[in-house]
């Protein structure tokens, strides 16, 4: 059974760091496009970052460029989202998603519907 499980969320202070993990079972994650999305209370879901399985190209939301890094560990079958210099506006539930056919493009942030597999989400709170 294909499944994604996120972990690593929690409470962080402004300026701090967290690393989110997304471990896949039932399929080979490096063969899939992987995206990270988040939803803050009272707001719509937004794309945070994604990585293409075809060429390894990474895309980031403008609000996280230079602070967040998406990566995949092939051996661990796990995707990561390293989040540095966290801000209160980064607070939300973070979800990872994967799809075997989707090819990210510059409109990637609007393509959440393209992903077949979703994790359950991990909450992140940035507060002093």
């Amino acid at each position: 059974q294909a499944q994604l499980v996120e972990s690593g969320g929690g409470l962080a202070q402004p300026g701090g760091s967290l690393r989110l993990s997304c471990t896949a079972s039932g399929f080979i994650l490096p063969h899939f496009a992987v995206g990270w999305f988040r939803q803050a209370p009272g707001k719509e879901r937004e794309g945070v970052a994604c990585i293409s399985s075809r060429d390894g190209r990474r895309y980031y939301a403008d609000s996280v460029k230079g602070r967040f890094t998406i990566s995949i560990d092939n051996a661990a079958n796990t995707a990561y989202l390293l989040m540095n210099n966290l801000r209160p506006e980064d607070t939300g539930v973070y979800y990872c998603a994967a799809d075997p056919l989707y090819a990210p493009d510059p409109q990637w942030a609007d393509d959440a519907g393209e992903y077949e597999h979703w994790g359950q989400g991990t909450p992140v709170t940035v507060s002093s």
Side-chain angles (χ1 to χ4, degrees), residues 24 50 83 89 92:
C50 71
M83 307 186 296
E89 54 264 39

Side-chain angles (χ1 to χ4, degrees), residues 8-9 17-18 23 28 33 37 40 43 53 59 67 70-72 75-77 80 82 93 97 111 120 127:
S17 299
L18 286 173
T23 300
I28 302 174
F37 296 82
K43 295 187 177 181
S53 62
Y59 297 83
R67 301 188 297 122
I70 186 173
S71 63
I72 294 180
N77 212 33
Y80 300 99
L82 176 61
V93 179
D111 292 343
Q120 82 287 354
S127 175

Side-chain angles (χ1 to χ4, degrees), residues 68-101:
F68 290 13
T69 303
I70 186 173
S71 63
I72 294 180
D73 183 329
N74 293 353
N77 212 33
T78 297
Y80 300 99
L81 184 69
L82 176 61
M83 307 186 296
N84 293 324
N85 192 19
L86 284 163
R87 304 169 180 170
E89 54 264 39
D90 294 319
T91 294
V93 179
Y94 284 69
Y95 301 88
C96 69
D99 192 270
L101 300 177

Side-chain angles (χ1 to χ4, degrees), residues 39-52:
Q39 187 164 20
K43 295 187 177 181
E44 294 186 354
R45 181 177 55 191
E46 63 174 344
V48 177
C50 71
I51 184 168
S52 171

